[in-house]
Amino acid sequence: MKFILFSLILFTLFVSKINTITITVPPSSKECIFEKIDKRTSVTLLYQVVSGGGMDINPEITGPDGIVIYRRDREQEGKFTFLSRTTGIYKFCFGNEMSHVTSKQVNFDLQFSGGHSNSEIAKKEHLTPLENGVLELQEQLRSILSEQRYLKVREHIHRNTTESTNSRVLWWNFLQTFLLIAISATQIIYVRRIFERRRRI
């Protein structure tokens, strides 16, 4: 019985549709992803800037009718959920127009649930307690996977920041050491010249 339950959980986990994508957005440009989505589908967009410049991006979601569903300016990360009103091609864009030099790397997830006709959806009273438990576990596992990806990206960002800081501190120490040696050598040469002049006098 436990094996069957575990198999059902794994099956529902792999059947659930989650797309994780990483894109690089060149400076002064916009990159878009197009996705066909059925009517009455719950869509969740999670995005996070991994590297580049001020670590900000302009996210935008546009429906098949050309109406902008979601737009933000200079965001580092975010989450937005909406219910699709019509079936069609939805556009998910990330703009880097504010940066004229630096590319931005963006990691984002698209999560979909629903999108079935009413005849395909089993009513809650028709499900057994075991099936209800499996559905609840499926939602929890989706949430856990999404959180794991989020934490992995955060760890990557923090590691890059730490390595960058470490590199800057190292080069600053080298510069300080070089300046200290140069100033010491200059002082020694200057003091020697003073004593040599006094001996000549």
Side-chain angles (χ1 to χ4, degrees):
M1 187 68 177
K2 288 181 180 179
F3 177 75
I4 294 172
L5 181 61
F6 182 70
S7 300
L8 282 170
I9 293 169
L10 284 179
F11 175 74
T12 55
L13 181 63
F14 288 115
V15 164
S16 63
K17 191 176 180 184
I18 301 176
N19 297 326
T20 303
I21 304 168
T22 301
I23 60 171
T24 300
V25 186
S28 303
S29 67
K30 181 190 286 189
E31 290 290 324
C32 296
I33 302 294
F34 299 88
E35 186 77 31
K36 184 177 181 182
I37 301 173
D38 294 329
K39 184 179 180 181
R40 297 192 59 78
T41 299
S42 177
V43 183
T44 300
L45 169 69
L46 296 100
Y47 59 90
Q48 194 169 43
V49 181
V50 179
S51 63
M55 304 278 283
D56 54 351
I57 204 79
N58 297 335
E60 182 180 290
I61 303 173
T62 308
D65 49 7
I67 296 174
V68 175
I69 300 169
Y70 174 80
R71 176 170 172 76
R72 293 289 182 273
D73 291 326
R74 295 180 174 271
E75 291 283 315
Q76 292 184 347
E77 59 184 54
K79 178 180 180 181
F80 179 71
T81 302
F82 68 96
L83 188 67
S84 58
R85 295 182 180 178
T86 58
T87 299
I89 303 296
Y90 286 75
K91 186 166 66 169
F92 301 85
C93 295
F94 295 94
N96 190 20
E97 297 90 350
M98 78 290 281
S99 176
H100 300 291
V101 178
T102 313
S103 297
K104 309 282 177 66
Q105 190 173 6
V106 183
N107 182 287
F108 68 96
D109 288 347
L110 284 175
Q111 301 177 4
F112 307 92
S113 61
H116 303 289
S117 63
N118 292 332
S119 60
E120 293 175 336
I121 300 174
K123 291 191 169 35
K124 201 159 188 177
E125 58 266 19
H126 297 157
L127 299 175
T128 65
L130 178 63
E131 290 170 331
N132 279 323
V134 168
L135 290 175
E136 288 177 10
L137 283 173
Q138 176 188 2
E139 291 301 319
Q140 291 174 5
L141 285 171
R142 277 185 191 170
S143 176
I144 290 169
L145 279 176
S146 177
E147 191 68 22
Q148 281 181 334
R149 277 191 292 272
Y150 172 79
L151 292 174
K152 188 175 180 181
V153 172
R154 293 296 296 173
E155 187 271 334
H156 177 70
I157 292 171
H158 291 157
R159 187 179 66 245
N160 285 348
T161 304
T162 304
E163 288 176 356
S164 174
T165 304
N166 183 42
S167 176
R168 289 176 182 177
V169 169
L170 182 65
W171 283 109
W172 176 245
N173 285 335
F174 280 142
L175 180 62
Q176 283 182 321
T177 304
F178 173 76
L179 287 174
L180 186 63
I181 292 171
I183 290 169
S184 299
T186 305
Q187 287 177 339
I188 290 169
I189 293 169
Y190 181 73
V191 170
R192 272 188 176 181
R193 284 183 179 175
I194 290 174
F195 282 116
E196 284 176 0
R197 285 177 186 171
R198 285 184 179 179
R199 283 178 186 174
R200 288 175 186 173
I201 293 171

